Amino acid sequence: MGDLVQAELRKTTTTTLWWALLIPTVLIALGGGLLSGLTGRTFVEFFSSSEAEQLSDALGVTPDQWKFSLLGIGRTINLATMFPLIFGALAIAGEVGTRTITTTFLTAPSRVHAMAAKMMVYALWGAIYGLAIIGFTALGIVLTSTSGQMPDAGGWAMLALVCVLSSILMTLFGVGLGALLPNSAGVVVLLIMYFLVIENALQLGLRLSGVPETAVGFLPNGSVDGLTGSVAVDLFLADAGVVPEEGVYWLRVFAGAGGAQAWWLSGLIFLAWVAAAFGGGWARMTQKDIT
Amino acid sequence: MHDGSGLIAVQNLTKQFGSVTAVQNLSFTVSPGSVTGFLGPNGAGKTTTLRMLLGLVKPTSGTATINGRPFHQLGRPGRVVGAVLEAQGFHPNRTARNHLRVYASAIGVPDAQADQVLGLVGLSTAAGRNVGGFSLGMKQRMAVATALLGDPQVLVLDEPANGLDPEGIAWLRNFLQSFARMGRTVLISSHLLAEVEQTVDQVVIVSRGQTMYYGPLEHLRQQQQRRVFVQPSDVGALATALREAGVQALEQLPDGRLAVSGVDAKQVADTALRAGVSVYGIQEEQADLEQIFFRLTSGQFVGHAPAPYQQQQGGWA
């Protein structure tokens, strides 16, 4: 098994795809971090100004305790993990496309071995992308924000944990779907369309049709977004003092956790989606005739 | 585990893709120490059979084993069987050496093996180049190098001569023969008998997914009657003399020559001498395996001759 893992690792490091996708990942993370920091800073400056002081007092807002930059982090992670998702999707779809899958199956004791080795290597890559995302998001926030707008060490650790988790799960979701639909262009277009357009339309439709808000948190993007978004909202609320219920709703929507369950439950829900995609892809690849 | 015999056994193998029967009840065995040709026209089911043997395609029924085991029970298949299936199967942006190192680690052999097989197929100087820039012949050599990585006991090649230049074909021929002489097994498919005639010892000839002939090439050659073409001064006199000598299979060719079957050139010349007929030319026909092959495999896809061209009348002229 160790041999196969090494082989799969070499497959990923001997082509340029990993850094070709890491560049936009890092740019989005950095950009999202800068924007989140700026938003938080603008907010503090606005409510701290003498004109808004009365408004702040009336609303019960203590501006230096409202870490608005936190809310942008969840959104940034969700957008940046699109790239590890694509990286994962090309794991098997790419091999079917270049026909290297034939040699892969000819040199592995079984297809299950080959798939398992791939899963381990792509989980590792998911973690690497996740660390890059949280690292550059943090860098962006540090550059544009004041220290009062930032989470404490425990908060950062928690954000890093869910970011890495989210990135690993997104990568594996891609691997599964790429096995289920082994066509590079097709699966990449489908995933981008789904995560950026289709599910957002679906969420809007659900909300408009009066389905309970929590339904959204059970959709793939709703749940993976909830994994990071819920943590961001939790960290925000921990310091923000009293926030009216209506306010919490909008905070969650803003952070990308609208309708989502608690972070760990959201993670488990998305894990179920990953398992479904992976199981389907696994079944397809073990049965497929390689002609 | 496998028995290490080097034996390939295909038994009652059948594969259906939807309504199409690609392979029908195919049986043959391939022994170590020889090169076996797997012959048939395009679409005869050769590739499907080899892919079933290699565990890439699931048979509808029947079995295909290597060393007494189906492919997925071989344990470390890369050490037992090497396969050349197509001149594809490379990431265009991965270098030749890196491609081989990927699979060297999958098979569990040291990285040095990658450079060694590159040298063996004559691609050492191209080791650092991306395979996407290779010619078809170079890719074919790369496929052979990949198959040899695990120093396998059995080698399966599907139309390996495609894209190879004459030099490459000669190299492959020598290589396969010396590989088989080491007591290993070689199964090589082709749609051209002439292409492998000098390489193989045994042949399996398939057509329409079924076995048409299976055995040594020599037996196939002997099935063909020898013919002697002779150009005598007097065809009638020689024909009479041959008939008197008991030779009945005679045929006069349009060019004035006489085709005599079932005897050798010496016998014909001696008969002519005794009959006082001069012989201007005599020629013994080599057993034409291609013809036998064609007879065995013809009729799968019968094309029609093109219809005569008919000038359209009228029109714009």
Side-chain angles (χ1 to χ4, degrees), chain B residues 173-289:
Chain B
R173 179 178 297 154
N174 289 333
F175 176 80
L176 293 179
Q177 281 171 339
S178 55
F179 189 86
R181 269 200 294 276
M182 288 188 285
R184 306 193 199 201
T185 313
V186 180
L187 179 62
I188 173 174
S189 85
S190 177
H191 60 279
L192 292 171
L193 177 60
E195 195 176 75
V196 294
E197 193 182 331
Q198 292 165 277
T199 318
V200 303
D201 313 304
Q202 302 235 38
V203 283
V204 178
I205 297 179
V206 291
S207 180
R208 280 161 280 188
Q210 291 171 292
T211 317
M212 307 307 284
Y213 174 82
Y214 157 48
L217 193 58
E218 213 37 55
H219 288 181
L220 193 64
R221 208 175 256 130
Q222 282 160 7
Q223 283 182 5
Q224 174 81 342
Q225 275 200 321
R226 273 192 302 189
R227 289 207 297 181
V228 176
F229 297 103
V230 57
Q231 180 131 41
S233 56
D234 185 342
V235 174
L238 179 60
T240 311
L242 282 166
R243 282 205 189 91
E244 280 167 6
V247 181
Q248 296 301 321
L250 298 174
E251 189 189 346
Q252 184 164 6
L253 302 178
D255 62 3
R257 287 189 302 168
L258 199 61
V260 190
S261 302
V263 287
D264 60 13
K266 181 176 167 295
Q267 240 177 307
V268 175
D270 287 347
T271 310
L273 182 66
R274 278 196 297 274
V277 177
S278 305
V279 170
Y280 302 142
I282 191 160
Q283 196 179 2
E284 218 168 318
E285 185 190 46
Q286 291 299 311
D288 189 351
L289 280 171

Side-chain angles (χ1 to χ4, degrees), chain A residues 140-206:
Chain A
I141 291 179
V142 168
L143 288 176
T144 49
S145 185
T146 53
S147 61
Q149 276 287 299
M150 277 182 272
D152 57 13
W156 276 122
M158 193 62 206
L159 282 169
L161 174 74
V162 288
C163 176
V164 169
L165 264 180
S166 155
S167 181
I168 291 174
L169 289 175
M170 283 287 260
T171 311
L172 294 181
F173 187 72
V175 175
L177 227 65
L180 204 54
L181 185 79
N183 174 310
S184 298
V187 74
V188 168
V189 170
L190 177 81
L191 284 171
I192 291 176
M193 286 295 288
Y194 182 80
F195 276 86
L196 295 185
V197 182
I198 297 172
E199 191 177 306
N200 284 323
L202 201 62
Q203 291 189 4
L204 190 68
L206 283 174

